Amino acid sequence: MPMAAVVWFPHSHRLCFSSSTLFHFPSLCLPRFTPTTCIPLLYTTTAPHHPLQPPTSSPPFSPHYQTHPELVISTIKSVSRKTHLLQIHAQILRTTLVEYPSVSLRFLSRVALSGPLQDPTYSQRFFHQINHPLVSHYNTMIRAFSTSHSPQKGLFLYQDMRVRGIAPDPLSSTSAIKCCVKFLYLLGGVQVHCNVFKDGHQSDTLLLTAIMDLYSQCRKSNDACKVFDEMPRRDTVAWNVMISCCIRNNRTRDALILFDVMQSESWRCEPDDVTCLLLLQACAHLNALEFGERIHGYVMEHGYGGALNLSNSLMSMYSRCGCLDKAYEVFKGIRNKSVVSWSAMISGLASNGYGTEAIEAFEEMLRVGIRPDDQTFTGVLSACSHSGLVDEGMSFFDRMSREFGITPNIHHYGCVVDLLGRAGLLDKAYQLITSMVAEPDSTIWRTLLGACRIHGNVALGEHVIGHLIELKAQEAGDYVLLLNIYSSAGRWEKVAEVRKLMKEKAIQTTPGCSTIELKGEVHEFVVDDVSHPRKGEIYETLDEINKQLKIAGYVVEPSSELHKIDDKEKGYVLSYHSEKLAIAFGVLATPPGTKLRVANNLRICVDCHNFMKIFSGVYNRDVILRDHNRFHHFSGGCCSCSDYW
């Protein structure tokens, strides 16, 4: 006689199924039951019957019970253990409740989307046991796969439902697009986009926003903009995706413009905290302090000031704009500072050249009981590197693993290589790289190559380039560094060889670009720029600045020009670097004594560095310049880096 298992359901109903039933579903891995086994699945206000006491109501598997699937649905909602769901699964199959869409959909949602009970593989097996799945069943499974490690399966299901003649709804296509986003499958996304027009869903805001996100993530900003422009309605999420697209695709200035457009009379869409986070990131990238202060004001006016992630982003923005006093004000105002808050403050001090202060902040963090993480050590090691604190940096590198149990990653090794390289300890830096447990990547070798350029070590520089070629990771910047090394050593024949090689490989260098923000508007310049509407005035102002600085002792540094031309020609070329054009525009457009803030996408050259120092003294203007590596605070003829950068 087959054994029976008893499972408690609400209202004192007991659902029984025989061991022969379990035999037909061995994959469910159900526990072995005895005739008196009773498993409570749900706590109710009604005391349950004793396992051996017969129920007073109708038999649980009578036709009467099978017409009440809401009892099963109620139990599915309440269970919290996987074993109980397995038993319910067996019961659903035993009583053909699997054909009730309300029951099967509730169970499928529980195992496909519900946190700790989520199991895509198991939910797919249950899905295939449904003979006539509806669009809601497909939507649940596609959505589940869109957040899993197998997003391709979601696309297969989307295709399957179309083949079976089940018309997708906007939610189906939205989840399918999210599957494409998961593994950046642009072609699949384009196909779904085509089906959206075929199905007549091109007015669904949520769906179009997902399509925008796909194009954005796949670096197709023009396509994303086209979808955005054609949207009949735009909510805040759609605007946020568009702003994110601009930032991701190097259209950061456009991201700032969108902040004003979305609040205009035409759209009247209110930015939220996510909008503020994105715009703070854009301000940090562009060195747009005034715009960042606007966002800060908006954050406080709309009650977002208590959000820790926004406070951390504000700190990062102010630090990236060289405004440490305001970054520190935000830091002091955070009630419950996290390790992210402390790390942001330490990194801000580091990038602005305040190495000693960064170390003091690290020690204070330890005193208040905050345990550092790997990002914290990246910040403090960077601080030591930019300030030439070799002994302190090596001590922190040792303490990472010995005291805090943090295994150094590639970023930490990069900081230490930079620390040793800047200090001229190139051999030690090379030994550290060769002793790494992990395989050194191109960034590590590139850091050492930069140190070779600083100290003019031709032999080691050539050796490092060899490693980059082996990794097939050489970039235009690597060849520029090598050109610097050869030109500084007067090896012009090598310079010619490298230029010829770059031409053969069609390697294009990144042009220097500088930005300066005035009255909330970001102005951009490149070398010999003639695109600015006030170009004539700018060049006249720059010529006058050069005359005044030469009287004060400024001499062009010809080594900053990599071409083999005479010093007079080099002086002309160097006179119109993008940083100098930005400074000239700042002098032209602001009152005397105004502090100027300039951001450059490359490392500042020696000539421009000398120019800025003398300019700050002659014109009595402070200049804060952020280059690719760090900040330089010029004041009174001196720089915060003490010529160590």
Side-chain angles (χ1 to χ4, degrees), residues 355-399:
T356 303
E357 290 80 358
I359 293 174
E360 290 175 357
F362 178 83
E363 298 298 342
E364 178 64 21
M365 181 185 72
L366 296 182
R367 280 193 291 272
V368 298
I370 302 295
R371 186 176 180 82
D373 61 9
D374 57 339
Q375 291 294 327
T376 316
F377 276 102
T378 299
V380 77
L381 288 172
S382 177
C384 295
S385 172
H386 288 308
S387 301
L389 304 173
V390 178
D391 293 338
E392 292 85 346
M394 297 308 295
S395 173
F396 281 118
F397 188 64
D398 176 65
R399 289 175 66 187

Side-chain angles (χ1 to χ4, degrees), residues 35-84:
T36 58
T37 300
C38 177
I39 300 177
L41 291 186
L42 181 67
Y43 291 101
T44 65
T45 55
T46 306
H49 292 288
H50 188 275
L52 299 181
Q53 180 180 346
T56 57
S57 59
S58 59
F61 280 130
S62 66
H64 172 73
Y65 175 79
Q66 295 185 29
T67 60
H68 291 81
E70 63 272 9
L71 297 175
V72 181
I73 293 173
S74 176
T75 307
I76 293 171
K77 290 180 180 179
S78 62
V79 297
S80 59
R81 294 173 61 183
K82 183 71 174 287
T83 53
H84 296 166

Side-chain angles (χ1 to χ4, degrees), residues 364-624:
E364 178 64 21
M365 181 185 72
L366 296 182
R367 280 193 291 272
V368 298
I370 302 295
R371 186 176 180 82
D373 61 9
D374 57 339
Q375 291 294 327
T376 316
F377 276 102
T378 299
V380 77
L381 288 172
S382 177
C384 295
S385 172
H386 288 308
S387 301
L389 304 173
V390 178
D391 293 338
E392 292 85 346
M394 297 308 295
S395 173
F396 281 118
F397 188 64
D398 176 65
R399 289 175 66 187
M400 275 184 62
S401 53
R402 178 175 51 82
E403 187 174 337
F404 299 99
I406 299 174
T407 302
N409 60 33
I410 204 74
H411 301 292
H412 301 130
Y413 278 107
C415 289
V416 177
V417 169
D418 190 46
L419 170 71
L420 297 172
R422 288 179 187 276
L425 304 173
L426 299 179
D427 290 338
K428 284 189 176 181
Y430 183 76
Q431 290 172 8
L432 177 66
I433 294 175
T434 55
S435 65
M436 287 172 54
V437 177
E439 187 72 21
D441 65 0
S442 58
T443 304
I444 293 287
W445 290 115
R446 202 164 282 129
T447 302
L448 183 57
L449 183 62
C452 293
R453 184 203 61 78
I454 294 172
H455 298 285
N457 193 321
V458 178
L460 184 56
E462 292 175 331
H463 191 62
V464 171
I465 281 288
H467 283 288
L468 288 170
I469 292 173
E470 286 179 10
L471 291 172
K472 297 180 179 179
Q474 64 271 28
E475 297 177 354
D478 304 329
Y479 290 101
V480 172
L481 287 173
L482 192 59
L483 285 172
N484 269 282
I485 295 171
Y486 285 140
S487 61
S488 298
R491 302 277 296 275
W492 297 109
E493 74 286 352
K494 287 289 187 180
V495 170
E497 288 179 13
V498 174
R499 290 195 182 280
K500 181 181 178 183
L501 181 62
M502 292 175 67
K503 187 175 181 180
E504 291 173 352
K505 292 187 174 184
I507 295 174
Q508 300 292 326
T509 57
T510 302
C513 176
S514 296
T515 58
I516 183 171
E517 182 195 27
L518 295 176
K519 298 179 180 179
E521 183 179 357
V522 178
H523 300 263
E524 190 174 74
F525 298 91
V526 295
V527 64
D528 291 331
D529 200 334
V530 293
S531 63
H532 198 278
R534 301 183 68 180
K535 57 181 179 295
E537 298 173 89
I538 292 171
Y539 276 93
E540 287 178 8
T541 303
L542 182 54
D543 289 339
E544 178 61 28
I545 292 173
N546 277 316
K547 289 178 183 177
Q548 296 297 325
L549 298 194
K550 286 177 181 177
I551 294 172
Y554 165 65
V555 178
V556 173
E557 177 56 57
S559 65
S560 296
E561 173 53 45
L562 305 182
H563 292 82
K564 189 179 181 182
I565 53 180
D566 60 45
D567 288 352
K568 185 177 180 180
E569 288 181 281
K570 287 185 177 183
Y572 176 82
V573 173
L574 292 169
S575 294
Y576 303 111
H577 275 191
S578 61
E579 301 97 317
K580 296 176 182 177
L581 291 171
I583 289 295
F585 176 70
V587 170
L588 177 66
T590 61
T594 303
K595 183 182 292 186
L596 302 178
R597 300 175 184 274
V598 178
N600 186 264
N601 63 329
L602 303 176
R603 183 183 184 274
I604 186 173
C605 70
V606 175
D607 179 68
C608 286
H609 193 270
N610 294 340
F611 176 95
M612 298 293 176
K613 283 198 302 181
I614 299 175
F615 169 83
S616 67
V618 171
Y619 279 77
N620 193 29
R621 286 187 182 239
D622 290 351
V623 177
I624 299 177

Side-chain angles (χ1 to χ4, degrees), residues 89 107-109 111-113 118-130 133 137-138 140-142 144-145 148 150 152-157 160:
H89 183 182
F107 186 87
L108 186 63
S109 299
V111 295
L113 304 174
Q118 187 175 2
D119 186 340
T121 303
Y122 178 58
S123 59
Q124 186 179 24
R125 188 161 64 226
F126 178 80
F127 174 80
H128 289 308
Q129 292 170 341
I130 303 172
H137 293 105
Y138 275 101
T140 300
M141 285 305 304
I142 297 171
F145 283 124
S148 73
S150 305
Q152 301 91 332
K153 293 181 179 179
L155 288 179
F156 292 149
L157 284 174
D160 180 65

Side-chain angles (χ1 to χ4, degrees), residues 297-317:
Y298 184 91
V299 166
M300 302 309 295
E301 289 171 9
H302 289 75
Y304 300 138
L308 184 59
N309 58 348
L310 272 171
S311 296
N312 292 337
S313 293
L314 282 166
M315 286 171 53
S316 178
M317 183 274 295

Side-chain angles (χ1 to χ4, degrees), residues 28 85-93 107 122 126 129:
L28 297 178
L85 279 176
L86 294 173
Q87 295 172 59
I88 295 171
H89 183 182
Q91 189 58 36
I92 289 173
L93 295 174
F107 186 87
Y122 178 58
F126 178 80
Q129 292 170 341

